[in-house]
Structure formats: structure tokens, C-alpha cells
Amino acid sequence: MHKVLESLTKISASQLAILLVDDIPENLLLLEDIFSEYNLRTIPAVNGVEALKIVERETVHLIISDAMMPKMDGFQLCKIIKNSPATAHIPFIIYTSDYIDEEDKDLADTIGVDKYVLKSGDSDGLIEAAKQLIQKKYGTTSEGQEPRVREPASLDEYSFIERHDKILIKKLEEKMANLEAYSLQLLHKNDELHRSELRYRLLFEHASIPIFVLDSSGEELLDVNTEAVNLLG
């Protein structure tokens, strides 16, 4: 990315500020580390409400937001940003680990999301998306003219709430299904562990030789089987 930023004529890489919005602190730290490698300044926010306060008091050149967050999520934040003349020019990326379907993409396009990136094992997709938006917005075209900002489609508040709530319910149902599947896996593992413990105890108690179990230092006796008791009386 740094080679692209070197070619920008309007603003240098060190002056660019990227607003990172995520309710998980570990995700924010990871993103801060990634962009610091390119000499980019980052500003963290834990939800959309905090992000809006930052935008009001600081100059922000790019927003990267998680989709699902408490208080105000990425969709709600983007709608407010893109509907305000003072902030509509800021490129907006939704960066999410949630499954993306056409309904998600359609709402994102409607409210003005510039890029919708799915979290994966590496950050290459996000870096490329950020590079493209920075170059498009803060670089120049071949004619030396600044590219125009894509205007979000018209969407009344009721329609947005209806579509947003539908997606939110779908995401919550997906998370509940994942939690239920994880819970079943955990119960299965616990059951396997319990059966393994029973098998160990039966083998331990009915072994034909004395068994002594010591601690890691070898000084304290933790357990003995029946044959060991008989041996020592």
C-alpha cells in the first residue's frame, strides 16, 4: 500500500487517519498493528455511537467498521455518515466475520457502503480494499480531477429499519444456531471425557499390579490402586 500512497498528491500517508470501529478490543489492536506498518494513523472506536463523536471532532479519511455491534452497528453508522453532507465523502468499509449474502450486500450498497469485506485468515482483502479507496478518493485521475463520491440510494427511515431489522434478526438466528451447535459439541466432548475417566478408573482399580500415582515432584503420593494397598497393608 505504501507505494500507492507515495503517489498521492493531495495528502501524505502519515496524515491519513483511519477510523476503526469494532466492539472486540482484540480486533481493534490487530487492525491498528496492520495499518501501522503502512505509517497510517488509526483511531479506535468500540461502536457506532463513539465513532460519530470522533468524526465530529476529528478529521477522518477512511472508516472501517464491523457489521454487528451494540448501541449502533455498521449499517446504522454508514447510513448516518453517508446522509450527512459533512461526512458523506468519507469512504466506508464494512469488515465482518458474519456470512454475507445478497440481502446484506444490497442494503450495504443502498446506504452507500463503498466496500464489503469478509474477514478471513489474512488481511490481504482489507488492505486491498483500503488501498483502492484511498487511491480513488485522495489520489487523482489521469485528467487530474478528483473522482466523484458515489451517492447512496434514496431510502426512507421506515424501509431502512425494516430491512435492517430483518438482517439483524437473521444474524442473531445464525449466531444462536452456531451457539447451539457448539453447545452440543461441548456436551458430546464432556460425555466422551466422562466415559474416558470411567474406563481409566476401572483399569486403575482392577489392575493386577500395584500402581502408585505421584505428583510432578515425585515427593507426594496422589493415588494408589487396590493392589498397592494390599502390597503395603
Side-chain angles (χ1 to χ4, degrees):
M1 187 193 294
H2 64 284
K3 291 183 179 179
V4 173
L5 298 179
E6 288 172 359
S7 67
L8 300 180
T9 58
K10 293 182 60 181
I11 188 169
S12 67
S14 60
Q15 294 174 312
L16 285 167
I18 301 179
L19 177 57
L20 306 174
V21 193
D22 199 308
D23 61 314
I24 300 177
E26 291 79 8
N27 291 346
L28 287 175
L29 290 174
L30 177 61
L31 291 176
E32 288 174 348
D33 288 343
I34 290 171
F35 287 105
S36 66
E37 296 179 7
Y38 301 97
N39 198 30
L40 294 168
R41 185 169 68 91
T42 58
I43 309 170
V46 296
N47 56 56
V49 174
E50 184 175 317
L52 286 178
K53 293 179 181 178
I54 292 172
V55 171
E56 289 176 359
R57 68 174 186 261
E58 297 192 42
T59 299
V60 172
H61 301 94
L62 174 65
I63 298 174
I64 300 175
S65 174
D66 190 22
M68 297 290 108
M69 296 177 292
K71 295 186 178 180
M72 180 186 293
D73 62 34
F75 292 102
Q76 295 167 311
L77 174 62
C78 182
K79 183 175 182 296
I80 294 174
I81 291 292
K82 293 298 185 178
N83 282 344
S84 171
T87 57
H89 65 282
I90 303 175
F92 199 106
I93 297 175
I94 282 188
Y95 185 53
T96 179
S97 58
D98 294 312
Y99 173 74
I100 301 173
D101 59 21
E102 290 304 317
E103 196 170 24
D104 300 342
K105 292 179 181 178
D106 183 59
L107 179 60
D109 288 340
T110 301
I111 61 177
V113 173
D114 296 281
K115 295 284 186 180
Y116 205 137
V117 182
L118 183 64
K119 293 178 182 177
S120 59
D122 56 55
S123 58
D124 291 349
L126 178 62
I127 294 298
E128 181 62 27
K131 180 182 71 175
Q132 290 176 6
L133 291 177
I134 289 172
Q135 184 180 35
K136 180 180 179 180
K137 176 59 185 175
Y138 305 107
T140 57
T141 64
S142 57
E143 292 80 18
Q145 299 294 323
E146 180 182 343
R148 296 182 62 185
V149 177
R150 180 170 64 87
E151 296 291 336
S154 176
L155 184 67
D156 63 86
E157 190 66 22
Y158 176 80
S159 297
F160 171 75
I161 291 174
E162 184 178 35
R163 293 173 63 180
H164 175 265
D165 287 353
K166 184 177 180 181
I167 289 177
L168 183 61
I169 291 171
K170 178 185 65 179
K171 297 297 184 187
L172 290 174
E173 288 175 345
E174 290 172 358
K175 288 185 181 296
M176 289 299 294
N178 290 336
L179 285 173
E180 184 177 353
Y182 176 75
S183 178
L184 290 175
Q185 291 177 355
L186 190 59
L187 287 173
H188 180 66
K189 292 293 183 182
N190 285 339
D191 187 51
E192 287 184 341
L193 185 61
H194 179 65
R195 290 198 300 268
S196 177
E197 172 66 20
L198 288 177
R199 286 195 297 271
Y200 163 77
R201 179 53 56 182
L202 285 172
L203 290 172
F204 181 79
E205 291 295 343
H206 294 87
S208 59
I209 59 174
I211 299 177
F212 301 88
V213 180
L214 304 177
D215 66 359
S216 58
S217 67
E219 297 178 354
E220 183 179 350
L221 186 63
L222 301 178
D223 199 2
V224 295
N225 68 346
T226 303
E227 286 298 321
V229 172
N230 293 336
L231 177 66
L232 298 179

